[in-house]
Amino acid sequence: MSAAWMRVKRKQSMLLLAMHLLPVIACAAASSQFQPRVESHTRETDYTLGSIARQHITLHVPPGFELDPASLPPPAQNEAIELRDVHWTSSDTDTERVIQLEIDWQIFVAGDTVKTMPLKKLHLEFNREFKHEQQRLTVDVPADKVIVSSLLPARIDAEHVQLYPDAPLPEWSLAGQLWTLAGWLSLLSLGVIYLLWYAGWIQLPQEKRMPFRQAWRAIRTLDVHGQAERLQAMRLMSRAMDQFAGHAVTAENLARVLTTHQVLDPYRIALQQFYQEVQQAFFAGKPLALSMQDLKQLAKKLSRVEVS
C-alpha cells in the first residue's frame, strides 16, 4: 500500500512539474522560431559637405527584448561619416516588440564629382531577462547609401572664373514722388495752420469780422487776479455781443437775441448769468462773482461759434 501510494505521489509531482515547464518551453520555442526583421530607409540625394543624413530604422524583435545602448556606434571624430544623434521609441504587441530607431549621420567629405557613399553598418544587441537568465539577441543592419555632391563645379575653366558684370540699376524717376511729397507737405502745413488758428495762436485777416474771437484774444492777455481786469473782460465780452447782434444787448432783450441767433442757444444759461453780473457790477456796484477763468471759458466757447 505504501509503495503504490509513493508511485501515485511521484506521478502527481511529475505532472505538476510538466505543467510548470510547459509555458517556459512554449515561450522558448516561440522565441527560437521568431525571426527579427529590419527595415531601413534614408533619403539618398541632396547631400553635400556638412549635411545631415537621417536614417530611419524599424526593428521587429521578440517581446521583452530591450535595445542595448552600448551596441550603438559612439559619436566619432575625423571620419568621413560621423554619428551625431540617436534616439528611439518602442511599442509592444502580443507577438513582437517594434522599435523605431532614428540616427543622424553627418557627412564630412566631398570630392570633386558626385559620388555614392555608404553609411556605417550596425550590429545592434538586445537583452532580455527570462527566468533569471540573461538572453541576448544580435541584429545586423546593412549600411544605407547616400549620394554626395561637390561644392565646386566638376571643372573650373576661364569662363567660370570670370565675374558676372554688375546689373544696371533700375531707372527711378523722382518727379512723381517729389510732387506727391510736396502735396502731402502742403496738406500738412494747411492742417497745422488751421489748428494753430483754431487754438488762437495765429490770427488771420478774416478774424476782424469775428467779434467773439477778438474779445477772446484780448481777454487771454489780461491778469487773472485783478478786479479791474475782470471788469475790462466783461466790457470786451459785452462789446463783442453787441457787434454780433448788431445792437446793444442787455439783460432785458437777451431772450430776443437768443431767439434770433439760434447758434447762441446752447450758451443761454451762461449768457444770462453773464448779463446779470454785468447789471450788478456796472449799475449796482456789487463785486463780481465770475472769475477771470469763467470769462475766458465763455469767450472761448463763443469764439468757436464763429469758426465752426
Side-chain angles (χ1 to χ4, degrees):
M1 183 66 180
S2 60
W5 176 255
M6 291 296 295
R7 286 195 296 271
V8 171
K9 293 295 290 182
R10 190 178 301 112
K11 291 181 180 179
Q12 291 180 350
S13 299
M14 293 178 63
L15 181 60
L16 290 174
L17 180 61
M19 292 176 62
H20 283 87
L21 291 178
L22 183 61
V24 177
I25 297 173
C27 184
S31 299
S32 61
Q33 294 176 359
F34 190 94
Q35 294 296 327
R37 302 194 311 276
V38 178
E39 301 168 5
S40 179
H41 172 70
T42 306
R43 179 171 52 87
E44 295 185 1
T45 59
D46 196 21
Y47 296 102
T48 184
L49 181 64
S51 298
I52 298 293
R54 174 162 292 182
Q55 184 178 8
H56 301 270
I57 303 173
T58 303
L59 297 151
H60 301 265
V61 297
F65 277 95
E66 296 284 349
L67 176 63
D68 185 4
S71 64
L72 295 170
Q77 294 181 353
N78 301 324
E79 294 189 13
I81 303 292
E82 295 185 5
L83 185 142
R84 283 298 178 221
D85 190 20
V86 179
H87 59 276
W88 66 90
T89 59
S90 61
S91 60
D92 294 325
T93 64
D94 295 337
T95 59
E96 65 178 3
R97 168 167 288 184
V98 180
I99 299 176
Q100 300 290 340
L101 179 65
E102 291 188 354
I103 304 178
D104 289 342
W105 305 95
Q106 190 166 16
I107 301 169
F108 281 104
V109 66
D112 55 356
T113 58
V114 178
K115 62 180 181 179
T116 302
M117 295 185 60
L119 302 178
K120 293 184 178 181
K121 296 181 180 180
L122 300 176
H123 301 280
L124 303 178
E125 294 186 358
F126 299 84
N127 299 324
R128 182 179 68 173
E129 186 175 353
F130 187 78
K131 292 297 181 179
H132 306 290
E133 293 183 1
Q134 194 73 19
Q135 297 181 350
R136 298 184 65 84
L137 177 67
T138 302
V139 178
D140 293 332
V141 180
D144 286 355
K145 296 181 180 181
V146 294
I147 299 175
V148 183
S149 302
S150 174
L151 294 175
L152 299 176
R155 185 167 144 242
I156 301 178
D157 50 21
E159 181 180 356
H160 289 90
V161 173
Q162 295 296 328
L163 298 177
Y164 290 105
D166 294 336
L169 295 176
E171 295 184 0
W172 186 24
S173 177
L174 293 178
Q177 301 200 13
L178 289 177
W179 279 110
T180 303
L181 178 62
W184 283 111
L185 290 177
S186 300
L187 291 176
L188 179 62
S189 301
L190 290 175
V192 171
I193 292 173
Y194 175 77
L195 292 176
L196 293 176
W197 171 73
Y198 188 82
W201 294 102
I202 60 175
Q203 185 175 3
L204 300 178
Q206 60 266 32
E207 288 192 35
K208 296 179 180 179
R209 300 187 298 273
M210 299 179 180
F212 289 131
R213 195 162 184 85
Q214 294 292 332
W216 177 47
R217 283 183 170 278
I219 292 173
R220 287 196 309 173
T221 61
L222 298 177
D223 187 12
V224 178
H225 304 289
Q227 180 73 13
E229 283 76 6
R230 283 193 288 171
L231 291 174
Q232 178 64 19
M234 295 187 73
R235 292 189 187 95
L236 291 171
M237 283 290 300
S238 180
R239 188 179 304 119
M241 192 70 179
D242 296 343
Q243 293 176 2
F244 184 82
H247 56 81
V249 180
T250 62
E252 289 76 14
N253 64 0
L254 178 62
R256 180 164 53 85
V257 174
L258 295 176
T259 304
T260 306
H261 300 83
Q262 295 292 330
V263 292
L264 299 177
D265 191 67
Y267 312 104
R268 177 185 295 273
I269 297 177
L271 288 173
Q272 289 174 351
Q273 183 180 3
F274 171 75
Y275 275 99
Q276 288 177 2
E277 288 292 323
V278 169
Q279 189 171 359
Q280 294 293 329
F282 289 101
F283 299 103
K286 293 183 179 181
L288 295 175
L290 292 175
S291 64
M292 181 63 77
Q293 188 65 26
D294 295 333
L295 295 172
K296 284 184 178 180
Q297 289 295 327
L298 180 59
K300 184 177 181 180
K301 291 178 181 179
L302 294 176
S303 69
R304 291 177 177 175
V305 173
E306 298 173 322
V307 299
S308 57

